[in-house]
Amino acid sequence: QVQLVESGGGLVQAGGSLRLSCAASGRTFSSYALGWFRQAPGKEREFVAAISWGGSSTYYADSVKGRFTVSRDNAKNTVYLQMNSLKPEDTAVYYCAADRTSFRSTNTNDYDYWGQGTQVTVSS
């Protein structure tokens, strides 16, 4: 079993940057592909980015491509989401999730474990 805890959210002006972290418990962190999702008020949870088990492959939603970068440090059991050039429409609760069997899935149902989320607010 994996427990995920996100951190790093906050309030930032448009054009600014934030780095989210997601720390995982357990000794099998490298057995999971990791994904980042977000959910804005009144909207469905949407895929943001994913990274493969070893970190060599990444995948992004078109809306964040070129602005966000996902990375992981398996020695620290942590996955990161570097967010640059933030826009007001990036405002949401951001969640990390772990998927044991697939990589690049944009479907929330494919992920086995979820964190509690961290709020990101981008002011205009």
Side-chain angles (χ1 to χ4, degrees), residues 7-88:
S7 61
L11 174 64
V12 63
Q13 289 187 332
S17 299
L18 281 175
R19 188 176 82 154
L20 305 183
S21 299
C22 175
S25 65
R27 295 175 291 177
T28 60
F29 180 72
S30 60
S31 300
Y32 292 85
L34 278 299
W36 285 97
F37 288 75
R38 66 187 182 187
Q39 188 166 18
K43 294 188 177 181
E44 292 187 351
R45 194 168 296 188
E46 66 173 2
F47 171 79
V48 174
I51 188 165
S52 61
W53 297 265
S56 60
S57 298
T58 56
Y59 180 61
Y60 298 93
D62 288 343
S63 58
V64 306
K65 200 173 296 182
R67 300 188 297 123
F68 291 11
T69 303
V70 60
S71 61
R72 67 189 293 167
D73 185 338
N74 285 346
K76 295 183 178 180
N77 279 15
T78 303
V79 61
Y80 305 96
L81 185 67
Q82 178 67 44
M83 306 185 295
N84 299 328
S85 302
L86 283 162
K87 305 174 181 180

